[in-house]
Amino acid sequence: MDRAQKEKVVEELGQIFESSGVVVVSHYEGLTVAEMQDLRARARDAGGSVRVAKNRLAKIALEGTPAASIADYLTGMTVLTYSEDPVAAAKVVEDFAKTNKKFEIIGGAMGGSALDRAGVEAVSKLPSREELIASIAGCIGAPASNIAGAIGAPASNIASILSTIEERGEAA
């Protein structure tokens, strides 16, 4: 790789570290090509990406970014899994690690906060952005449906009373 290519890779990695909601660092030694393709597909489906890069170039790209604290995690055969959604990449790697014992999660970064192995696991258990939006929409919609029910209830009660009176009148 010549100098221009290295500079391009450092720039791309810098963008990843700047713009991602979460970056997870893992060791992938011993994984097959098919297993790596499976990880990439899972990440893509969740709105994330997977990147293998030289640790030295990644450390250069980390300088001056909020995620600079994860430089110590970049040793050995590392792979970066990242996403804009602060939870998606963590969920993907946790699920992948459950089925692939050779895949080892080292840690990561969420904004300016470094995450250790337990931190990545904790982030993966949080609800995703879509789940949060759905629950907020449900909370907003619930009072409206309760109001509609309360407004409609007196009318249905009056109708029920009138039909009862009518039935009594017919029976008499």
Side-chain angles (χ1 to χ4, degrees), residues 5 12 23-24 28 36 65 78 95 136 143 152 158 172:
Q5 289 174 320
E12 289 172 2
V23 177
V24 181
Y28 68 98
M36 281 298 287
T65 65
T78 56
D95 289 342
I136 290 170
I158 291 172

Side-chain angles (χ1 to χ4, degrees), residues 41-56:
R42 290 183 190 196
R44 192 177 326 107
D45 292 343
S49 297
V50 174
R51 177 75 189 253
V52 177
K54 291 185 179 275
N55 291 333
R56 189 163 181 237

Side-chain angles (χ1 to χ4, degrees), residues 17-85:
F17 294 130
E18 287 284 338
S19 65
S20 297
V22 67
V23 177
V24 181
V25 180
S26 309
H27 285 167
Y28 68 98
E29 188 172 358
L31 290 181
T32 65
V33 172
E35 290 168 333
M36 281 298 287
Q37 287 175 336
D38 180 36
L39 174 62
R40 289 178 194 278
R42 290 183 190 196
R44 192 177 326 107
D45 292 343
S49 297
V50 174
R51 177 75 189 253
V52 177
K54 291 185 179 275
N55 291 333
R56 189 163 181 237
L57 297 178
K59 287 179 181 180
I60 292 169
L62 273 170
E63 292 175 8
T65 65
S69 56
I70 66 169
D72 295 338
Y73 296 151
L74 298 172
T75 58
M77 295 179 65
T78 56
V79 61
L80 304 172
T81 309
Y82 57 94
S83 64
E84 284 184 32
D85 183 343

